[in-house]
Amino acid sequence: MSYYILLFLSIATFSFAQELKDAEIEVVQIKSKPKIVTILKRVNKQLLKKTDTTSFVFDLRQINLKNSDTIINRTEEQIIKITNFNSTFSKKNVIENKDKWFSIFKEIFKGYSSEESPIGWLSGFPIRKNLSTAELDFFIHPNGYEFTREWLDNEKLVVTFKSNGFYKGNFIVDKNYNLLQLNYETELPYPFFYTSEESIGKNHKFTSNWIYQREKVAMKFDIFNNKMILKSLFIEEKLRDFTFKRFDDKGVTFTDVNQFYTNIKLVNKKFSVE
């Protein structure tokens, strides 16, 4: 009898041990998620310190529309050197064509001087703003946003963000917190105001204000030798109720109100875009 009892106990013990072994095999190790403040701090550090400073040639294609009528067509190559993604970069045309920089001028611009013209807001500013990636609102004012984070695998982390009526989007970083992708767009339209530094009497020389009806951006990066390289930058902007006023010492001398649509594609020629 004791033999059978020992045999039963041996079999039961083996079965229990095997169940434990099987259970251990099924355990999946879940990587802990870093805190948002840690992610933003590390990403900011990489944007400032881990940028590839090579000069790359980019294809720039831009079209600006007003009521489906072309205002500016622009297709050219630019050499861009980014020291870091914090307003520190330089760019120049591969072929200087300043006289033909804007291939088509419409009557809409004839009332503006070069200082006052909205052309800068339709072309240069959207690029400058996004090449200053570290200064974008959701990176420097995180308290106004709700964040979620999730590991895509053990190598990449996706962070989504959303503000109350401002921006929403997401970005992806690798395990070293290098930025791989950034996508964002307006949650709701928001106003923007701009005034000249120079004043005439009690008024500024000119004032501009408009509403960003739509702002949608997609950026992709490549990592080489642990350095970030900009692969592509796509920008879509719709400026509603663009209101411009010029003043002299007697008051308003010129007023203009328009709507603008801008589409910009900046692609690093060294990389193919999916």
Side-chain angles (χ1 to χ4, degrees):
M1 177 64 72
S2 59
Y3 170 77
Y4 290 107
I5 293 174
L6 289 173
L7 180 60
F8 172 77
L9 290 175
S10 297
I11 294 173
T13 301
F14 175 80
S15 299
F16 180 69
Q18 187 64 37
E19 289 177 3
L20 285 177
K21 185 177 180 180
D22 292 342
E24 289 175 359
I25 293 174
E26 293 175 1
V27 170
V28 177
Q29 186 178 3
I30 300 176
K31 193 172 182 179
S32 61
K33 299 173 186 176
K35 295 180 179 179
I36 289 297
V37 64
T38 300
I39 296 171
L40 295 179
K41 183 177 180 180
R42 293 291 300 275
V43 171
N44 183 267
K45 180 180 178 181
Q46 298 299 79
L47 287 169
L48 299 182
K49 303 293 184 181
K50 295 292 184 177
T51 306
D52 190 309
T53 57
T54 305
S55 294
F56 291 100
V57 178
F58 286 81
D59 270 328
L60 174 63
R61 299 177 183 274
Q62 179 176 7
I63 188 169
N64 292 303
L65 304 175
K66 173 180 178 272
N67 299 327
S68 300
D69 190 15
T70 302
I71 297 174
I72 302 169
N73 284 331
R74 192 176 174 200
T75 300
E76 60 192 25
E77 291 184 343
Q78 289 191 340
I79 300 173
I80 300 179
K81 177 183 175 66
I82 304 173
T83 305
N84 61 55
F85 288 96
N86 188 29
S87 300
T88 310
F89 65 91
S90 61
K91 62 185 179 73
K92 63 178 180 179
N93 293 341
V94 173
I95 300 175
E96 288 297 331
N97 59 347
K98 292 182 179 179
D99 293 336
K100 299 179 181 179
W101 191 39
F102 301 103
S103 60
I104 301 176
F105 278 93
K106 291 293 183 179
E107 288 294 306
I108 189 173
F109 293 118
K110 71 177 184 180
Y112 296 86
S113 69
S114 58
E115 178 190 8
E116 302 164 343
S117 176
I119 290 174
W121 294 104
L122 297 173
S123 56
F125 179 72
I127 295 175
R128 291 198 306 271
K129 173 184 177 181
N130 287 283
L131 291 186
S132 302
T133 314
E135 296 181 348
L136 292 173
D137 189 71
F138 30 84
F139 287 137
I140 62 175
H141 298 126
N143 291 338
Y145 290 82
E146 296 177 1
F147 291 89
T148 64
R149 66 246 192 264
E150 194 70 43
W151 286 104
L152 296 177
D153 48 44
N154 286 333
E155 302 296 322
K156 297 178 183 177
L157 182 71
V158 59
V159 178
T160 61
F161 54 86
K162 183 178 181 180
S163 64
N164 184 17
F166 200 19
Y167 288 125
K168 64 179 179 180
N170 64 74
F171 61 88
I172 299 175
V173 298
D174 64 15
K175 62 181 180 181
N176 296 316
Y177 295 91
N178 293 308
L179 193 59
L180 302 177
Q181 291 186 38
L182 170 61
N183 302 280
Y184 72 91
E185 60 184 294
T186 46
E187 176 80 348
L188 291 172
Y190 69 92
F192 191 92
F193 300 89
Y194 177 76
T195 60
S196 64
E197 295 182 359
E198 183 181 355
S199 296
I200 299 177
K202 64 179 182 179
N203 299 311
H204 289 279
K205 183 178 179 182
F206 64 86
T207 64
S208 284
N209 61 274
W210 59 87
I211 295 173
Y212 276 111
Q213 179 69 24
R214 179 159 177 78
E215 188 178 8
K216 186 174 182 179
V217 175
M219 300 180 72
K220 288 187 177 182
F221 302 82
D222 193 71
I223 309 302
F224 183 73
N225 289 336
N226 200 30
K227 297 285 187 178
M228 280 179 287
I229 301 170
L230 179 67
K231 287 180 64 176
S232 62
L233 170 60
F234 296 165
I235 305 171
E236 179 188 350
E237 288 188 346
K238 291 183 180 179
L239 279 59
R240 190 186 81 206
D241 301 334
F242 188 104
T243 303
F244 173 84
K245 292 183 179 182
R246 183 187 297 127
F247 297 84
D248 62 14
D249 54 1
K250 296 180 181 179
V252 177
T253 61
F254 177 78
T255 300
D256 194 15
V257 180
N258 278 286
Q259 323 298 328
F260 294 108
Y261 167 78
T262 306
N263 187 289
I264 300 173
K265 294 183 179 181
L266 190 67
V267 179
N268 193 323
K269 294 193 70 172
K270 189 174 181 179
F271 300 93
S272 60
V273 179
E274 298 174 1

